[in-house]
Amino acid sequence: YLHQKGNEARIDKEKRVLAWIVAVSESRMSGSSTYQKLKDGVALCKLINQLHPGSISQISMSKMAFKQKENICNFLNSIQCYGVAKTDLFKPSDLESNMPKVIDAIESIAMLAKKKGFKGPTFSNKPKQRKSVSFSDEEYCK
């Protein structure tokens, strides 16, 4: 049960991070998984350009893997210049193998943007509250 609950929280956080990226970057991301939505680096580059205009002058729209990796590397260099701690960064390979690290890095960007006074959409680091419903012992047995 605890593992399932932790997984639900991780998925909820991923959804909130993706929604924040879309809101700030005004990007449309395609794909069914978080990896597919972020792998080309385009939305990430647009994100940092909204937070710190001009950070990345050229964003490749190519489907070629090395160009996509170039976008990711440009994004990582730019967020480090923006002030994200090196320990909060991810490696390009983490997009495939360690999505929680990627999501945490993006959350760090969101928190830093807020500290720097970014006036655009904000990221809520609190999961949506689920209403708890309680039943009496009698209702469980019905």
Side-chain angles (χ1 to χ4, degrees), residues 83-101:
V84 173
K86 199 168 193 166
T87 54
D88 289 340
L89 299 177
F90 61 90
K91 300 179 298 230
S93 61
D94 287 334
L95 278 166
E96 281 188 86
S97 61
N98 191 359
M99 191 54 69
K101 178 76 174 162

Side-chain angles (χ1 to χ4, degrees), residues 65-111:
F66 78 95
K67 286 294 195 181
Q68 293 177 345
K69 186 176 180 184
E70 191 176 276
N71 281 345
I72 300 295
C73 291
N74 288 338
F75 167 75
L76 291 168
N77 289 332
S78 295
I79 64 171
Q80 195 171 357
C81 290
Y82 186 63
V84 173
K86 199 168 193 166
T87 54
D88 289 340
L89 299 177
F90 61 90
K91 300 179 298 230
S93 61
D94 287 334
L95 278 166
E96 281 188 86
S97 61
N98 191 359
M99 191 54 69
K101 178 76 174 162
V102 174
I103 296 301
D104 288 346
I106 298 168
E107 183 180 28
S108 294
I109 299 163
M111 298 302 118

Side-chain angles (χ1 to χ4, degrees), residues 39-76:
K39 75 175 184 169
D40 65 5
V42 172
L44 295 174
C45 290
K46 287 181 177 182
L47 171 69
I48 191 60
N49 275 345
Q50 287 293 331
L51 299 174
H52 193 241
S55 294
I56 300 174
S57 59
Q58 192 121 19
I59 302 171
S60 174
M61 300 299 178
S62 173
K63 298 294 178 206
M64 294 167 52
F66 78 95
K67 286 294 195 181
Q68 293 177 345
K69 186 176 180 184
E70 191 176 276
N71 281 345
I72 300 295
C73 291
N74 288 338
F75 167 75
L76 291 168

Side-chain angles (χ1 to χ4, degrees), residues 122-139:
T122 57
F123 172 75
S124 167
N125 60 352
K126 293 186 173 104
K128 291 179 183 168
Q129 295 296 316
R130 290 186 169 86
K131 292 182 180 178
S132 62
V133 180
S134 58
F135 297 97
S136 68
D137 287 341
E138 292 168 357
E139 291 173 303

